Amino acid sequence: MEAENPAPKATKPTAAKPKTANPTAANPPAGNQPAANQPAGNPPAEKKKRGRPSRIDLDTLVSVARRILQEEGVAALSMRRVAKEVGATPMALYHHVRDKDELLMLTLAGTADSVPRPELPDDPRDRMLAVAVHMHGTLARMPWVVEVLSLGDLTDKGALWMVEEIIDCCLASGLTPAGAVAAYRTIWHCVYGELVFRQAMARRAEEPDRVRHFPDMLTDADADELPHMTALAGRWLELTAAYDVSVQLGAVIDGLLRAGERG
Amino acid sequence: MEAENPAPKATKPTAAKPKTANPTAANPPAGNQPAANQPAGNPPAEKKKRGRPSRIDLDTLVSVARRILQEEGVAALSMRRVAKEVGATPMALYHHVRDKDELLMLTLAGTADSVPRPELPDDPRDRMLAVAVHMHGTLARMPWVVEVLSLGDLTDKGALWMVEEIIDCCLASGLTPAGAVAAYRTIWHCVYGELVFRQAMARRAEEPDRVRHFPDMLTDADADELPHMTALAGRWLELTAAYDVSVQLGAVIDGLLRAGERG
DNA sequence: ACCTGAACACCGTTCAAGT
DNA sequence: ACCTGAACACCGTTCAAGT
């Protein structure tokens, strides 16, 4: 019954083949959303290809999706919405991307290159701090990227120089390759986590009639078990607002590098 | 026209009043999902209240929602699904919760108390590391909580002892109150970030025919600009799998405490 | 007070058919 | 090869009405 594999040629298309060869190469930096602002109904008919000119192509799809994301966030992005904006049926998109998830990942390509690289100090410790702060600052100005990034990691080739720099600094400071990769990840977690909760707080602040759980849930009866929390409750917003990403990342980096020296 | 506020009594219900007085108090620890496993069509009729006995009450709503979340994740939770499982119309739920977001927040109450508190060492540094590792380990076993937590912070009163402990250790180590709160947040970012990407990696591993962006996107031509990345590309999965949360959190905590000593 | 029924304005995706 | 039309199986939520 299940003897040898029959006809290994191409009888059963394994459904695995991705539709885009190399998305990052096919989708150059794009500066700051080139001309995606006009209503995309009729694309400029000046690109000459043989055969029937397809009404929509992957680049415009991704551009339109990216614009929706940065103007209205991930919640506003739907296949139907993109289809409407390019003047096509929802199902037309599925000829260019496998599904919504693939379209989302493609929107990340080029975002890192849309921002100029900063000058970096030479000292490894200061250098990796500068890179980490730059990562954070860039993403703070692109909230939609943070939302999309939770689906996966490292999809934009233009962002790899930052990873390279941080790992280079770690190695220069004496960490092992494994330690350097781990240190990079920890730094990334700090950056990413801060952005997620900063954005969550911003969203909550927009709907003020929502139940506030903390610190409103604390009563005087909690002072026994939670003395510091009750004491700090009144200042909590002020204290969290004073959070300094640069200072915290500096401390984290110092800890990671010192652990490498000892290990 | 817009003179003095008319009739400050209760003429216009300001739509702000939350429907649950104190969700955490109204919803005790609940151990490990008490008896939410039987089909919840007919609730046990042994609770005697006056007036028409409501067919559904908030507690069963939250229990059912929590079960769906931990069995199938946030994507599977919908108001309609919960309604069906309690044997009611979708709209019946809106008499007990304001919207889906409120229901999600309510599911968090009691989750921290469902896990026993660990023994903690006395030394502040070791103590806060133990708490952080406990946070991470607990949430690693409750992926749905991580997903819901991105909507906000600190909604489960039973989780506050961990924040209290970490802040207490920071203060005992000489940090200022502001420094202690900041240090807690940084530790939380590390814990949370690790969990998000661990889960994202697990999700991606489940659908293996998806495009892998990294490190597959790297070619030999990138060796100039990204020497470490190309060199480490082959070992990347192995290296990230070797990530040790406890070691990393230890280094982060050391860095944070030392920064406090100097500051 | 608590719940139902119908409706509105959406989703992602499959499938068969058109050119 | 590229796209359409209709359909499937869903969403969260509003509104008017029932008891």
PDB file of all heavy atoms in Angstrom, chain B residues 52 78-80 91 94 99-100, chain D residues 10-15 18-19:
ATOM      1  N   ARG B  52     -36.052  37.148  39.367  1.00  0.00           N
ATOM      2  CA  ARG B  52     -35.845  36.149  38.326  1.00  0.00           C
ATOM      3  C   ARG B  52     -34.382  35.678  38.346  1.00  0.00           C
ATOM      4  O   ARG B  52     -33.471  36.492  38.290  1.00  0.00           O
ATOM      5  CB  ARG B  52     -36.163  36.783  36.968  1.00  0.00           C
ATOM      6  CG  ARG B  52     -35.953  35.829  35.807  1.00  0.00           C
ATOM      7  CD  ARG B  52     -35.635  36.591  34.554  1.00  0.00           C
ATOM      8  NE  ARG B  52     -36.715  37.481  34.170  1.00  0.00           N
ATOM      9  CZ  ARG B  52     -37.183  37.552  32.923  1.00  0.00           C
ATOM     10  NH1 ARG B  52     -36.707  36.779  32.001  1.00  0.00           N
ATOM     11  NH2 ARG B  52     -38.110  38.406  32.635  1.00  0.00           N
ATOM     12  N   SER B  78     -14.441  34.206  21.149  1.00  0.00           N
ATOM     13  CA  SER B  78     -15.332  35.226  20.610  1.00  0.00           C
ATOM     14  C   SER B  78     -16.553  35.305  21.505  1.00  0.00           C
ATOM     15  O   SER B  78     -16.887  34.349  22.221  1.00  0.00           O
ATOM     16  CB  SER B  78     -15.741  34.876  19.178  1.00  0.00           C
ATOM     17  OG  SER B  78     -16.620  33.768  19.165  1.00  0.00           O
ATOM     18  N   MET B  79     -17.203  36.424  21.465  1.00  0.00           N
ATOM     19  CA  MET B  79     -18.408  36.604  22.256  1.00  0.00           C
ATOM     20  C   MET B  79     -19.454  35.564  21.854  1.00  0.00           C
ATOM     21  O   MET B  79     -20.150  34.990  22.700  1.00  0.00           O
ATOM     22  CB  MET B  79     -18.964  38.014  22.042  1.00  0.00           C
ATOM     23  CG  MET B  79     -18.019  39.123  22.440  1.00  0.00           C
ATOM     24  SD  MET B  79     -17.612  39.089  24.193  1.00  0.00           S
ATOM     25  CE  MET B  79     -18.897  40.140  24.869  1.00  0.00           C
ATOM     26  N   ARG B  80     -19.554  35.323  20.584  1.00  0.00           N
ATOM     27  CA  ARG B  80     -20.533  34.355  20.086  1.00  0.00           C
ATOM     28  C   ARG B  80     -20.223  32.949  20.583  1.00  0.00           C
ATOM     29  O   ARG B  80     -21.118  32.174  20.923  1.00  0.00           O
ATOM     30  CB  ARG B  80     -20.553  34.407  18.552  1.00  0.00           C
ATOM     31  CG  ARG B  80     -21.057  35.738  18.020  1.00  0.00           C
ATOM     32  CD  ARG B  80     -20.911  35.807  16.502  1.00  0.00           C
ATOM     33  NE  ARG B  80     -22.204  35.986  15.856  1.00  0.00           N
ATOM     34  CZ  ARG B  80     -22.642  37.142  15.362  1.00  0.00           C
ATOM     35  NH1 ARG B  80     -21.890  38.208  15.438  1.00  0.00           N
ATOM     36  NH2 ARG B  80     -23.822  37.227  14.817  1.00  0.00           N
ATOM     37  N   MET B  91     -25.929  38.550  22.507  1.00  0.00           N
ATOM     38  CA  MET B  91     -26.217  39.824  23.153  1.00  0.00           C
ATOM     39  C   MET B  91     -26.466  39.717  24.651  1.00  0.00           C
ATOM     40  O   MET B  91     -26.406  40.709  25.360  1.00  0.00           O
ATOM     41  CB  MET B  91     -27.400  40.487  22.466  1.00  0.00           C
ATOM     42  CG  MET B  91     -27.023  41.150  21.178  1.00  0.00           C
ATOM     43  SD  MET B  91     -25.469  42.031  21.317  1.00  0.00           S
ATOM     44  CE  MET B  91     -25.906  43.239  22.545  1.00  0.00           C
ATOM     45  N   TYR B  94     -23.657  41.047  26.909  1.00  0.00           N
ATOM     46  CA  TYR B  94     -23.437  42.481  27.069  1.00  0.00           C
ATOM     47  C   TYR B  94     -24.208  43.064  28.250  1.00  0.00           C
ATOM     48  O   TYR B  94     -24.083  44.240  28.550  1.00  0.00           O
ATOM     49  CB  TYR B  94     -23.777  43.215  25.761  1.00  0.00           C
ATOM     50  CG  TYR B  94     -22.750  42.958  24.688  1.00  0.00           C
ATOM     51  CD1 TYR B  94     -22.837  41.840  23.866  1.00  0.00           C
ATOM     52  CD2 TYR B  94     -21.671  43.803  24.527  1.00  0.00           C
ATOM     53  CE1 TYR B  94     -21.883  41.594  22.892  1.00  0.00           C
ATOM     54  CE2 TYR B  94     -20.717  43.566  23.551  1.00  0.00           C
ATOM     55  CZ  TYR B  94     -20.824  42.461  22.739  1.00  0.00           C
ATOM     56  OH  TYR B  94     -19.877  42.226  21.791  1.00  0.00           O
ATOM     57  N   ASP B  99     -17.803  44.951  27.043  1.00  0.00           N
ATOM     58  CA  ASP B  99     -17.432  44.475  25.711  1.00  0.00           C
ATOM     59  C   ASP B  99     -16.422  43.345  25.837  1.00  0.00           C
ATOM     60  O   ASP B  99     -16.095  42.903  26.938  1.00  0.00           O
ATOM     61  CB  ASP B  99     -16.883  45.624  24.853  1.00  0.00           C
ATOM     62  CG  ASP B  99     -15.732  46.339  25.533  1.00  0.00           C
ATOM     63  OD1 ASP B  99     -15.177  45.790  26.503  1.00  0.00           O
ATOM     64  OD2 ASP B  99     -15.378  47.444  25.097  1.00  0.00           O
ATOM     65  N   LYS B 100     -15.914  42.893  24.716  1.00  0.00           N
ATOM     66  CA  LYS B 100     -14.992  41.760  24.716  1.00  0.00           C
ATOM     67  C   LYS B 100     -13.720  42.066  25.498  1.00  0.00           C
ATOM     68  O   LYS B 100     -13.188  41.212  26.199  1.00  0.00           O
ATOM     69  CB  LYS B 100     -14.652  41.397  23.264  1.00  0.00           C
ATOM     70  CG  LYS B 100     -13.870  40.105  23.138  1.00  0.00           C
ATOM     71  CD  LYS B 100     -13.474  39.844  21.703  1.00  0.00           C
ATOM     72  CE  LYS B 100     -12.636  38.582  21.593  1.00  0.00           C
ATOM     73  NZ  LYS B 100     -12.175  38.348  20.213  1.00  0.00           N
TER      74      LYS B 100
ATOM     75  P    DC D  10     -18.177  28.427  11.760  1.00  0.00           P
ATOM     76  OP1  DC D  10     -17.010  28.661  12.636  1.00  0.00           O
ATOM     77  OP2  DC D  10     -19.014  27.221  11.910  1.00  0.00           O
ATOM     78  O5'  DC D  10     -19.140  29.703  11.835  1.00  0.00           O
ATOM     79  C5'  DC D  10     -18.890  30.761  12.767  1.00  0.00           C
ATOM     80  C4'  DC D  10     -17.772  31.664  12.298  1.00  0.00           C
ATOM     81  O4'  DC D  10     -18.083  32.166  10.988  1.00  0.00           O
ATOM     82  C3'  DC D  10     -17.599  32.902  13.147  1.00  0.00           C
ATOM     83  O3'  DC D  10     -16.767  32.586  14.261  1.00  0.00           O
ATOM     84  C2'  DC D  10     -16.929  33.886  12.191  1.00  0.00           C
ATOM     85  C1'  DC D  10     -17.469  33.435  10.818  1.00  0.00           C
ATOM     86  N1   DC D  10     -18.469  34.357  10.210  1.00  0.00           N
ATOM     87  C2   DC D  10     -18.132  35.678   9.897  1.00  0.00           C
ATOM     88  O2   DC D  10     -16.984  36.072  10.140  1.00  0.00           O
ATOM     89  N3   DC D  10     -19.053  36.485   9.346  1.00  0.00           N
ATOM     90  C4   DC D  10     -20.281  36.021   9.099  1.00  0.00           C
ATOM     91  N4   DC D  10     -21.168  36.843   8.540  1.00  0.00           N
ATOM     92  C5   DC D  10     -20.655  34.679   9.407  1.00  0.00           C
ATOM     93  C6   DC D  10     -19.725  33.881   9.955  1.00  0.00           C
ATOM     94  P    DC D  11     -17.131  33.069  15.712  1.00  0.00           P
ATOM     95  OP1  DC D  11     -16.515  32.173  16.705  1.00  0.00           O
ATOM     96  OP2  DC D  11     -18.581  33.318  15.776  1.00  0.00           O
ATOM     97  O5'  DC D  11     -16.349  34.438  15.744  1.00  0.00           O
ATOM     98  C5'  DC D  11     -17.082  35.590  15.501  1.00  0.00           C
ATOM     99  C4'  DC D  11     -16.179  36.750  15.224  1.00  0.00           C
ATOM    100  O4'  DC D  11     -16.254  37.073  13.822  1.00  0.00           O
ATOM    101  C3'  DC D  11     -16.607  37.976  15.993  1.00  0.00           C
ATOM    102  O3'  DC D  11     -15.696  38.181  17.058  1.00  0.00           O
ATOM    103  C2'  DC D  11     -16.597  39.080  14.979  1.00  0.00           C
ATOM    104  C1'  DC D  11     -16.806  38.378  13.646  1.00  0.00           C
ATOM    105  N1   DC D  11     -18.214  38.235  13.183  1.00  0.00           N
ATOM    106  C2   DC D  11     -18.941  39.374  12.792  1.00  0.00           C
ATOM    107  O2   DC D  11     -18.380  40.481  12.871  1.00  0.00           O
ATOM    108  N3   DC D  11     -20.213  39.227  12.377  1.00  0.00           N
ATOM    109  C4   DC D  11     -20.764  38.011  12.313  1.00  0.00           C
ATOM    110  N4   DC D  11     -22.017  37.920  11.874  1.00  0.00           N
ATOM    111  C5   DC D  11     -20.046  36.840  12.707  1.00  0.00           C
ATOM    112  C6   DC D  11     -18.794  36.997  13.137  1.00  0.00           C
ATOM    113  P    DG D  12     -16.265  38.289  18.540  1.00  0.00           P
ATOM    114  OP1  DG D  12     -15.157  38.016  19.463  1.00  0.00           O
ATOM    115  OP2  DG D  12     -17.524  37.532  18.662  1.00  0.00           O
ATOM    116  O5'  DG D  12     -16.611  39.837  18.587  1.00  0.00           O
ATOM    117  C5'  DG D  12     -15.577  40.761  18.311  1.00  0.00           C
ATOM    118  C4'  DG D  12     -16.164  42.147  18.224  1.00  0.00           C
ATOM    119  O4'  DG D  12     -17.073  42.187  17.110  1.00  0.00           O
ATOM    120  C3'  DG D  12     -16.959  42.551  19.463  1.00  0.00           C
ATOM    121  O3'  DG D  12     -16.656  43.898  19.783  1.00  0.00           O
ATOM    122  C2'  DG D  12     -18.405  42.356  19.029  1.00  0.00           C
ATOM    123  C1'  DG D  12     -18.350  42.623  17.531  1.00  0.00           C
ATOM    124  N9   DG D  12     -19.349  41.851  16.779  1.00  0.00           N
ATOM    125  C8   DG D  12     -19.557  40.495  16.835  1.00  0.00           C
ATOM    126  N7   DG D  12     -20.516  40.085  16.066  1.00  0.00           N
ATOM    127  C5   DG D  12     -20.981  41.243  15.459  1.00  0.00           C
ATOM    128  C6   DG D  12     -22.039  41.417  14.514  1.00  0.00           C
ATOM    129  O6   DG D  12     -22.788  40.568  14.023  1.00  0.00           O
ATOM    130  N1   DG D  12     -22.187  42.757  14.160  1.00  0.00           N
ATOM    131  C2   DG D  12     -21.414  43.781  14.633  1.00  0.00           C
ATOM    132  N2   DG D  12     -21.699  44.995  14.174  1.00  0.00           N
ATOM    133  N3   DG D  12     -20.427  43.635  15.522  1.00  0.00           N
ATOM    134  C4   DG D  12     -20.272  42.335  15.888  1.00  0.00           C
ATOM    135  P    DT D  13     -17.222  44.590  21.083  1.00  0.00           P
ATOM    136  OP1  DT D  13     -16.373  45.730  21.451  1.00  0.00           O
ATOM    137  OP2  DT D  13     -17.524  43.534  22.055  1.00  0.00           O
ATOM    138  O5'  DT D  13     -18.598  45.187  20.532  1.00  0.00           O
ATOM    139  C5'  DT D  13     -18.563  46.027  19.377  1.00  0.00           C
ATOM    140  C4'  DT D  13     -19.954  46.356  18.940  1.00  0.00           C
ATOM    141  O4'  DT D  13     -20.574  45.205  18.310  1.00  0.00           O
ATOM    142  C3'  DT D  13     -20.914  46.776  20.064  1.00  0.00           C
ATOM    143  O3'  DT D  13     -21.196  48.155  19.885  1.00  0.00           O
ATOM    144  C2'  DT D  13     -22.139  45.882  19.867  1.00  0.00           C
ATOM    145  C1'  DT D  13     -21.956  45.370  18.433  1.00  0.00           C
ATOM    146  N1   DT D  13     -22.596  44.072  18.137  1.00  0.00           N
ATOM    147  C2   DT D  13     -23.593  44.021  17.209  1.00  0.00           C
ATOM    148  O2   DT D  13     -23.990  45.008  16.612  1.00  0.00           O
ATOM    149  N3   DT D  13     -24.135  42.782  16.996  1.00  0.00           N
ATOM    150  C4   DT D  13     -23.769  41.596  17.620  1.00  0.00           C
ATOM    151  O4   DT D  13     -24.324  40.534  17.357  1.00  0.00           O
ATOM    152  C5   DT D  13     -22.709  41.712  18.599  1.00  0.00           C
ATOM    153  C7   DT D  13     -22.221  40.497  19.343  1.00  0.00           C
ATOM    154  C6   DT D  13     -22.179  42.928  18.802  1.00  0.00           C
ATOM    155  P    DT D  14     -22.119  48.955  20.899  1.00  0.00           P
ATOM    156  OP1  DT D  14     -21.479  50.252  21.149  1.00  0.00           O
ATOM    157  OP2  DT D  14     -22.486  48.068  22.026  1.00  0.00           O
ATOM    158  O5'  DT D  14     -23.436  49.191  20.022  1.00  0.00           O
ATOM    159  C5'  DT D  14     -23.308  49.592  18.674  1.00  0.00           C
ATOM    160  C4'  DT D  14     -24.685  49.783  18.049  1.00  0.00           C
ATOM    161  O4'  DT D  14     -25.212  48.509  17.616  1.00  0.00           O
ATOM    162  C3'  DT D  14     -25.740  50.376  18.992  1.00  0.00           C
ATOM    163  O3'  DT D  14     -26.529  51.304  18.255  1.00  0.00           O
ATOM    164  C2'  DT D  14     -26.556  49.156  19.407  1.00  0.00           C
ATOM    165  C1'  DT D  14     -26.519  48.342  18.120  1.00  0.00           C
ATOM    166  N1   DT D  14     -26.722  46.886  18.294  1.00  0.00           N
ATOM    167  C2   DT D  14     -27.590  46.227  17.452  1.00  0.00           C
ATOM    168  O2   DT D  14     -28.210  46.788  16.573  1.00  0.00           O
ATOM    169  N3   DT D  14     -27.696  44.872  17.688  1.00  0.00           N
ATOM    170  C4   DT D  14     -27.028  44.151  18.659  1.00  0.00           C
ATOM    171  O4   DT D  14     -27.196  42.939  18.790  1.00  0.00           O
ATOM    172  C5   DT D  14     -26.134  44.907  19.499  1.00  0.00           C
ATOM    173  C7   DT D  14     -25.369  44.204  20.573  1.00  0.00           C
ATOM    174  C6   DT D  14     -26.030  46.218  19.275  1.00  0.00           C
ATOM    175  P    DC D  15     -27.535  52.370  18.952  1.00  0.00           P
ATOM    176  OP1  DC D  15     -27.133  53.706  18.489  1.00  0.00           O
ATOM    177  OP2  DC D  15     -27.608  52.076  20.412  1.00  0.00           O
ATOM    178  O5'  DC D  15     -28.952  52.025  18.338  1.00  0.00           O
ATOM    179  C5'  DC D  15     -29.067  51.089  17.269  1.00  0.00           C
ATOM    180  C4'  DC D  15     -30.439  50.451  17.274  1.00  0.00           C
ATOM    181  O4'  DC D  15     -30.299  49.026  17.522  1.00  0.00           O
ATOM    182  C3'  DC D  15     -31.409  50.981  18.340  1.00  0.00           C
ATOM    183  O3'  DC D  15     -32.633  51.345  17.723  1.00  0.00           O
ATOM    184  C2'  DC D  15     -31.564  49.831  19.319  1.00  0.00           C
ATOM    185  C1'  DC D  15     -31.283  48.615  18.429  1.00  0.00           C
ATOM    186  N1   DC D  15     -30.741  47.430  19.160  1.00  0.00           N
ATOM    187  C2   DC D  15     -31.152  46.137  18.789  1.00  0.00           C
ATOM    188  O2   DC D  15     -31.931  46.001  17.847  1.00  0.00           O
ATOM    189  N3   DC D  15     -30.659  45.081  19.482  1.00  0.00           N
ATOM    190  C4   DC D  15     -29.813  45.274  20.487  1.00  0.00           C
ATOM    191  N4   DC D  15     -29.358  44.200  21.127  1.00  0.00           N
ATOM    192  C5   DC D  15     -29.385  46.584  20.878  1.00  0.00           C
ATOM    193  C6   DC D  15     -29.873  47.634  20.195  1.00  0.00           C
ATOM    194  P    DG D  18     -42.843  43.333  20.969  1.00  0.00           P
ATOM    195  OP1  DG D  18     -44.042  42.977  20.184  1.00  0.00           O
ATOM    196  OP2  DG D  18     -42.994  44.022  22.269  1.00  0.00           O
ATOM    197  O5'  DG D  18     -41.973  42.026  21.184  1.00  0.00           O
ATOM    198  C5'  DG D  18     -42.563  40.901  21.746  1.00  0.00           C
ATOM    199  C4'  DG D  18     -41.675  40.353  22.837  1.00  0.00           C
ATOM    200  O4'  DG D  18     -40.701  41.336  23.249  1.00  0.00           O
ATOM    201  C3'  DG D  18     -42.430  40.014  24.124  1.00  0.00           C
ATOM    202  O3'  DG D  18     -42.657  38.623  24.167  1.00  0.00           O
ATOM    203  C2'  DG D  18     -41.534  40.489  25.268  1.00  0.00           C
ATOM    204  C1'  DG D  18     -40.279  40.983  24.558  1.00  0.00           C
ATOM    205  N9   DG D  18     -39.645  42.138  25.172  1.00  0.00           N
ATOM    206  C8   DG D  18     -39.839  43.466  24.878  1.00  0.00           C
ATOM    207  N7   DG D  18     -39.086  44.268  25.591  1.00  0.00           N
ATOM    208  C5   DG D  18     -38.354  43.411  26.410  1.00  0.00           C
ATOM    209  C6   DG D  18     -37.376  43.691  27.400  1.00  0.00           C
ATOM    210  O6   DG D  18     -36.961  44.798  27.762  1.00  0.00           O
ATOM    211  N1   DG D  18     -36.879  42.529  27.987  1.00  0.00           N
ATOM    212  C2   DG D  18     -37.273  41.256  27.649  1.00  0.00           C
ATOM    213  N2   DG D  18     -36.697  40.265  28.316  1.00  0.00           N
ATOM    214  N3   DG D  18     -38.188  40.973  26.729  1.00  0.00           N
ATOM    215  C4   DG D  18     -38.677  42.094  26.154  1.00  0.00           C
ATOM    216  P    DT D  19     -43.843  38.051  25.009  1.00  0.00           P
ATOM    217  OP1  DT D  19     -44.016  36.645  24.586  1.00  0.00           O
ATOM    218  OP2  DT D  19     -44.951  39.017  24.894  1.00  0.00           O
ATOM    219  O5'  DT D  19     -43.326  38.064  26.516  1.00  0.00           O
ATOM    220  C5'  DT D  19     -42.524  37.004  27.007  1.00  0.00           C
ATOM    221  C4'  DT D  19     -41.992  37.346  28.386  1.00  0.00           C
ATOM    222  O4'  DT D  19     -41.248  38.569  28.302  1.00  0.00           O
ATOM    223  C3'  DT D  19     -43.091  37.606  29.416  1.00  0.00           C
ATOM    224  O3'  DT D  19     -43.200  36.477  30.285  1.00  0.00           O
ATOM    225  C2'  DT D  19     -42.612  38.848  30.184  1.00  0.00           C
ATOM    226  C1'  DT D  19     -41.252  39.148  29.594  1.00  0.00           C
ATOM    227  N1   DT D  19     -40.939  40.600  29.442  1.00  0.00           N
ATOM    228  C2   DT D  19     -39.896  41.127  30.153  1.00  0.00           C
ATOM    229  O2   DT D  19     -39.210  40.488  30.909  1.00  0.00           O
ATOM    230  N3   DT D  19     -39.680  42.471  29.945  1.00  0.00           N
ATOM    231  C4   DT D  19     -40.411  43.301  29.109  1.00  0.00           C
ATOM    232  O4   DT D  19     -40.129  44.480  29.012  1.00  0.00           O
ATOM    233  C5   DT D  19     -41.488  42.678  28.404  1.00  0.00           C
ATOM    234  C7   DT D  19     -42.340  43.497  27.494  1.00  0.00           C
ATOM    235  C6   DT D  19     -41.708  41.370  28.594  1.00  0.00           C
TER     236       DT D  19
END
